[in-house]
Amino acid sequence: MITTKDSLEFLKEQKDYAFDINYSDPPYALGSEIIIRPDGKYDYKKATDFMNKWQMPTGEYWEKWFEESFRTLKHGGYCIMYGMDRQLPMFQYYAIKSGFQVRQSMYWYFISSFPKATDLSKMIDKNAKAERKVVGKKIFKASNSGEGYNDFAIGEQNITIPATDLAKKYEGYKYSIAPLKQTCETIMVFQKPYKTGSCMHDVLAYENGDDTCGCFALNIDAGRVETDDVIKPTSTRDFKDVRKLTKEIIGVDLISVEQVTNAKRIDYEQNLQGRFPSQTFCDSEVAKILDEQSDSKDSGCSKILHKCDYENDEMDLYVYEPKVSKSERNVGCEELEIKKFEGRDSGQDDRSVPYKKKPEMLSNTHPTLKPISLSYRILKLFKSPNEQKIIYPFAGVQSEVIGGYKAGFIDYVGCELSEEYVNIGNARFEHWKNKPFDKKGKLEKTKDVKKSNEQLKNF
């Protein structure tokens, strides 16, 4: 059940030790600068959003939010939170301050993005009131990382040459708070300390009736990276046997080069469920490029990555996970009102962004969707063999809720500030909740997807 309510107020209503997982995709405040207040605490100089889409929480808000998140989680429970590199310190500071321990992060790599940087040479000419000569036009069309995705991200830009000597000197230089193409988001993992100080002893306490604890070991086998490769059996030297022999002979646990060379070997067989999961999800295009750079068909980089594509072309944490296609965005929303979607960024002209997304007609107007299968793969790792309850404090249009439901988190609550997004999310959930994933984590493509796309084309 997703409620229309502010995230902090919703958390305040929850009981102590109510949840195993807090899974959050909050506003990133990408247009904000983080500062240290006179009292020594983190805050935003001015809480703003690059896309002008969200109400931005302050440092005071996040301090209270993490305190409530900590209170409502079981001992050992996880707060899993999406973020962008330059804005992570705010979340990390207040998470640690409230009592959380920072655990290994996960990363989502993708190719579909565009740089947001200001051209220094153009700005110098503009400041000098010098008119630049137009010598041609450049057409931009965003790369397509999924069916229908970014079809509307097309535009053109005048090609100009510098008008002043100073502008010529700095031609090709650009600046902004994020001048490079953004290809990665971080999934931060914070853990509430174990009650007993030990994962194993907390599990024993849970099995003996303590419902403030649980099993918070990761389900590695459920998160293994699928592979069609035949992995050859491997072996390693038995150092334990070498050390034992050394201690018996000289009384010291040492290993010499000769002993290592002659040590017995332990053989390991292939795990048929797949390769051990890594901390990174990526899309297929990224995996392909990495393999080309590694210059080896047999040991390409993507062999250790999870791939998470959506719908008819789902991909491998590095799993392969692209951004969201039109069909995944809109399917299930056929009965909802179709609205004009202005695109993500209203200030792109000021920043000399090379192309802008043209206005589009959509029934799901949420601007920053995450792929359903991304959350599915992440949450499979955190699903224990026991019943668990999860909270989604920034539910959006429920991509995370759907992914969690598919991963086995049936008992959930959540909130979203926008009533429009709650209605869109409810429609999407009803569509996807009974749609199966295949063994590689792909959502089954349905006729409804084609119907949704066709409906938008004819609008």
Side-chain angles (χ1 to χ4, degrees):
M1 177 76 180
I2 302 301
T3 303
T4 306
K5 185 165 285 191
D6 172 74
S7 177
L8 177 57
E9 295 307 312
F10 186 69
L11 277 168
K12 288 179 178 178
E13 297 173 357
Q14 310 307 314
K15 296 179 180 179
D16 294 355
Y17 310 113
F19 305 107
D20 297 87
I21 305 286
N22 177 320
Y23 194 79
S24 296
D25 184 14
Y28 291 177
L30 293 181
S32 306
E33 178 185 350
I34 295 177
I35 61 170
I36 305 295
R37 298 195 310 240
D39 62 2
K41 296 181 179 180
Y42 278 58
D43 208 337
Y44 296 121
K45 186 174 182 179
K46 181 182 178 183
T48 58
D49 171 39
F50 183 84
M51 295 182 294
N52 302 315
K53 298 287 185 181
W54 314 114
Q55 296 182 28
M56 284 296 108
T58 62
E60 182 181 1
Y61 183 99
W62 285 120
E63 181 174 15
K64 295 176 180 177
W65 190 92
F66 276 104
E67 288 171 354
E68 292 299 321
S69 177
F70 187 86
R71 176 185 65 81
T72 56
L73 279 171
K74 294 181 179 180
H75 296 290
Y78 291 102
C79 176
I80 303 168
M81 177 176 277
Y82 287 86
M84 202 74 84
D85 49 11
R86 64 187 183 276
Q87 298 298 343
L88 302 185
M90 176 79 76
F91 302 130
Q92 293 167 335
Y93 172 79
Y94 285 113
I96 294 170
K97 186 176 183 298
S98 66
F100 282 107
Q101 298 168 333
V102 179
R103 296 302 186 223
Q104 185 179 38
S105 295
M106 293 173 285
Y107 302 92
W108 173 36
Y109 281 77
F110 46 81
I111 284 185
S112 326
S113 184
F114 55 88
K116 305 173 182 68
T118 301
D119 190 308
L120 178 58
S121 175
K122 289 181 180 179
M123 296 305 293
I124 289 173
D125 276 340
K126 183 177 180 181
N127 184 66
K129 296 182 172 53
E131 185 176 352
R132 295 167 69 96
K133 181 180 179 180
V134 178
V135 295
K137 288 187 178 294
K138 188 171 184 178
I139 307 299
F140 294 90
K141 187 177 189 307
S143 62
N144 202 336
S145 69
E147 179 192 342
Y149 181 75
N150 269 346
D151 282 351
F152 56 94
I154 304 171
E156 64 178 32
Q157 185 182 45
N158 287 334
I159 300 173
T160 62
I161 57 176
T164 63
D165 289 340
L166 193 59
K168 291 176 183 177
K169 178 180 179 180
Y170 290 104
E171 186 175 12
Y173 288 82
K174 299 189 178 185
Y175 64 94
S176 75
I177 56 175
L180 303 178
K181 185 172 182 177
Q182 188 76 43
T183 58
C184 174
E185 290 191 28
T186 302
I187 300 112
M188 296 168 284
V189 180
F190 305 116
Q191 186 175 26
K192 187 171 180 175
Y194 293 116
K195 186 174 186 178
T196 66
S198 158
C199 177
M200 187 269 289
H201 285 100
D202 264 29
V203 171
L204 296 179
Y206 168 80
E207 293 295 339
N208 282 297
D210 189 343
D211 61 4
T212 68
C213 300
C215 172
F216 294 104
L218 297 193
N219 189 351
I220 296 300
D221 281 351
R224 286 185 177 272
V225 181
E226 305 84 4
T227 179
D228 295 326
D229 295 343
V230 176
I231 304 174
K232 298 177 181 179
T234 61
S235 65
T236 186
R237 296 181 177 88
D238 187 353
F239 292 119
K240 185 177 179 181
D241 179 67
V242 173
R243 286 193 176 99
K244 180 180 177 183
L245 182 62
T246 306
K247 186 137 187 181
E248 289 175 354
I249 297 173
I250 62 174
V252 182
D253 187 4
L254 296 174
I255 303 176
S256 71
V257 174
E258 182 180 359
Q259 287 171 322
V260 170
T261 304
N262 297 325
K264 296 177 183 177
R265 302 190 72 91
I266 304 174
D267 292 329
Y268 293 93
E269 295 296 325
Q270 174 183 358
N271 188 312
L272 299 178
Q273 292 175 280
R275 298 180 184 273
F276 202 94
S278 72
Q279 67 188 123
T280 312
F281 302 74
C282 75
D283 66 37
S284 294
E285 291 300 314
V286 171
K288 181 180 177 181
I289 291 170
L290 287 171
D291 286 347
E292 289 174 353
Q293 291 177 342
S294 69
D295 197 29
S296 172
K297 293 182 179 179
D298 296 325
S299 59
C301 296
S302 73
K303 291 182 180 294
I304 64 168
L305 312 181
H306 302 264
K307 296 189 178 71
C308 313
D309 291 359
Y310 38 65
E311 295 170 8
N312 65 319
D313 194 26
E314 292 276 345
M315 311 174 192
D316 261 341
L317 279 234
Y318 235 60
V319 180
Y320 175 72
E321 189 60 65
K323 289 193 171 183
V324 178
S325 66
K326 282 185 182 178
S327 52
E328 181 172 318
R329 169 184 287 276
N330 292 296
V331 69
C333 303
E334 291 80 11
E335 303 304 319
L336 299 179
E337 179 184 358
I338 297 178
K339 296 182 178 181
K340 187 177 182 180
F341 182 58
E342 295 291 350
R344 290 177 52 159
D345 306 306
S346 60
Q348 293 182 25
D349 283 330
D350 295 335
R351 295 176 175 84
S352 299
V353 173
Y355 63 81
K356 297 190 296 182
K357 293 184 178 182
K358 296 192 294 186
E360 185 183 41
M361 305 309 297
L362 298 172
S363 52
N364 179 0
T365 56
H366 194 289
T368 58
L369 268 68
K370 299 292 190 300
I372 291 170
S373 56
L374 176 61
S375 291
Y376 167 71
R377 285 184 174 270
I378 291 172
L379 286 171
K380 274 205 309 180
L381 285 166
F382 290 87
K383 184 68 187 76
S384 80
N386 309 313
E387 293 184 4
Q388 290 172 290
K389 189 168 186 177
I390 188 170
I391 182 171
Y392 301 95
F394 301 92
V397 291
Q398 300 187 38
S399 295
E400 291 77 25
V401 178
I402 298 166
Y405 190 85
K406 296 291 186 183
F409 287 91
I410 308 302
D411 189 3
Y412 70 91
V413 296
C415 64
E416 165 56 43
L417 202 55
S418 165
E419 185 174 0
E420 177 186 357
Y421 291 164
V422 171
N423 293 333
I424 293 171
N426 289 339
R428 296 181 76 224
F429 182 85
E430 286 303 311
H431 172 83
W432 288 114
K433 69 178 183 180
N434 295 319
K435 295 293 187 294
F437 280 89
D438 66 17
K439 66 179 182 178
K440 291 189 176 181
K442 298 179 182 179
L443 281 167
E444 184 180 88
K445 192 174 176 71
T446 68
K447 294 180 181 179
D448 293 334
V449 173
K450 296 178 181 178
K451 176 183 174 183
S452 177
N453 285 341
E454 203 58 41
Q455 187 177 12
L456 289 171
K457 288 178 183 177
N458 296 331
F459 187 80

